[in-house]
Amino acid sequence: MSFFRKTEETLQNSAIDELRQTVAAAALPAHVRQVAEKELATLSKIAPATAEYSIGLTYVEYILSLPWNKKTDDNLDISKAENILNERHYGLSSIKERILEHLAVKILIRERKPRILIVDDEEIARKNLEHILKKENYVVVTAANGIEALEKMETSEFDVIMTDLRMEKVNGMDLLEKAKIRHPDSRVIMITAYATVDSAVEAMKKGAFHYITKPFKLDDVRSVVREAVDKMLATISAKGSVLCFTGPPGTGKTSLGRAIAEATGRTFSRISLGGMKDEAEIRGHRRTYAGAMPGRIIEEIRRSKVMNPVMMLDEVDKIGLDFKGDSASALLEVLDPEQNRAFMDHYLDIPFDLSNVMFIVTANIPENIQEPLRDRMEVIEFAGYTEDEKMKIAQGFLVPRQTREQGLSDYKPAFTEETLLKIIQEHTREAGIRELERQIANVCRKIAAEFVHSREKASHFVVTPQAIEKFLGPRKYYFEITGEESKIGVTTGLVRTEVGGDIIFVEAAKMKGGKELILTGSLGNVMRESAQAALSYIRSNVSLFHIPYDFFDNHDLHVHVPAGAIPKDGPSAGATIAIALISLLSERRTKMDVAISGELTLSGTILPVGGIREKILAARRAGVKTVILPLKNRIDVDNLGDDVVRGLEIIFIGRLEDAIDRVLLSD
Ligand code: ADP
């Protein structure tokens, strides 16, 4: 028994000793080392068989596994960054431009030497401070009294002002007040003798950043100034410092994120926020829970082995509804430069500096991002691609990549334009190009299989449209509208979904009954309300639409939006629903190749809607000839390229009545 205990103790000691040595040798910041040492001291008093013991050991090992001081060096060469973005992606010029601007600002802020003003009437103190701070690579300006300091503050801006509290005429307190008015972002540090500490505390109440007491310790001076400078930089870069890429899948958000990482010389990592249900997934569990784990953010940092990766947080618009805790505030703590310097993960329980991480957030629909988060980010919209753009991307990127990846580098089959167009139109139906790439990969694989099978490798294999039929089978998609007969009670509409724009057919039916409105077809709440509003508008204007007064007393109405179980929501179907109902009630057939999108108010006004580019692209994919849009969306259409609107008639309306004769036939 006693032998047994001894072995156990020895084992315990050796495990702890080993960790102690690793802690001693590791490059840990002082406060982290303290926590690790304290934990090991506690562990040495606990029996190794207990749960606490193994939880403690794992904890110390986890601390040691984090890259506390490791960073990659940033590439600050903007033209190299530009080349990389261009080489990897076709088009997207305005997006690339905004990304480069964003990087340029970051580079400038980082490269700029912080400016510090030292005000002290004691020459030795002034010279000492100047000497210390110049060594820290700051631009240092000195003033021998308050009046001189005021003059210098008039002509130039300082990030940090260090001022003696007691001076003749204009003292430190006066300078603080002036600085707060003229440059509210600058940080003021008071220099004080022990006797005047009370006044320094008073100064902090009035907005001073900190105070140091004379005679000062060099380390204190350095760390207080560094902290002030960091805070100042965080304030400057806080606004719009996080990029948010929004748009349908397959439009290049992720691959542009990767290109940014490459362009800046950083590692790339990615976390999906979609479906996260619990704050603990972001912030971790407290160690008191059995099986507690760190949150995904810290875990991803550990995996990326550096403090400054480019970290992409995907699907920020899919977090929220059934989330336990406040997802927006947890994410703000991660993303906000003012807060993320000391991010608290519950498991780690030591403030962790995330301020060097370059976060990029992605979402499918910008409107679905919670407001406080959206305000903090620079939203960049990735819209869907036109057929021309898809063609160029396929030729320039997808075909070369897939030929390489499917082992065909030496044979390089040629895809003709006609062939690619056939794949785009008949085998894909998407805003982005994911499916397109998948289908090209399919074709390449089939060619590879044939080559290997027949042992006959043609070096100039041309992929014809006929070959596509053989490889991919019969066409999967048709222009939905082409050939559709005009109908009563069915109207074509345009909506935006997760995957881009889409056309919908709103169907309306009437039956004997009593005033009921039945709504079906995976409609969201907003769309249901739009249907109610459309009906109320029609009921309050029966004479305008030639509907008998008592019609509604003895009829039920049913509005249905087919096309699978794809959830549909948003206000933009209001006008479409109203036209379907008017067609039904006035028994006029609708032109199916006219698609309408607009929010309808109770008074019949048409309000602007979002996702215009996506909707127009969807209309073209479906073979729509005419698109009716709200008057106030004219500016959005004007901003689209010619290739997006080419061949489409676009009509703008301010009131619902203006749409009626455009959509309904008069016979
Ligand atoms: P998202 O993140 O928006 O869903 P991805 O970045 O995964 O889309 O893009 C899907 C594929 O399409 C990737 O292979 C990407 O490289 C390619 N791609 C997207 N846009 C472009 C473009 N403009 N030029 C070249 N390739 C592109």
Side-chain angles (χ1 to χ4, degrees), residues 323-335:
F323 190 85
K324 269 190 250 133
D326 182 351
S327 61
S329 83
L331 277 179
L332 271 182
E333 208 182 309
V334 173
L335 297 173

Side-chain angles (χ1 to χ4, degrees), residues 87-92 96 247-257 270 312 314 362 364 382 385 389 393-394 396-398 401-402 432-434 437:
E87 270 166 28
R88 305 277 185 280
H89 295 91
Y90 169 81
L92 303 176
K96 289 176 189 162
T251 45
K253 300 184 292 299
T254 312
S255 68
L256 219 72
R270 204 174 158 199
M312 196 163 229
D314 276 330
T362 79
N364 288 134
F382 285 58
Y385 292 116
E389 288 168 330
I393 297 173
F397 298 88
L398 308 184
R401 180 161 56 223
Q402 288 310 324
I433 49 170
R434 247 187 220 170
E437 181 157 22

Side-chain angles (χ1 to χ4, degrees), residues 99-131:
I99 291 174
L100 288 172
E101 285 162 12
H102 183 88
L103 292 181
V105 171
K106 283 210 176 273
I107 290 172
L108 278 186
I109 290 179
R110 203 158 307 157
E111 278 191 333
R112 183 178 150 271
K113 279 191 184 174
R115 294 174 57 82
I116 300 182
L117 175 65
I118 298 170
V119 194
D120 201 317
D121 48 10
E122 212 182 298
E123 192 181 352
I124 296 185
R126 211 164 56 227
K127 285 264 178 310
N128 266 344
L129 284 174
E130 184 179 10
H131 181 71

Side-chain angles (χ1 to χ4, degrees), residues 63-76:
I63 292 180
L64 285 166
S65 72
L66 288 170
W68 292 99
N69 284 319
K70 295 199 192 85
K71 280 190 205 166
T72 46
D73 287 335
D74 272 350
N75 161 38
L76 301 179

Side-chain angles (χ1 to χ4, degrees), residues 485-487 490-492 589-595 661-665:
E485 305 240 322
S486 46
K487 294 181 186 123
V490 184
T491 310
T492 310
R589 284 181 295 134
T590 58
K591 298 181 205 163
M592 296 303 291
D593 58 3
V594 180
D661 289 332
R662 312 256 188 193
V663 190
L664 302 187
L665 294 165

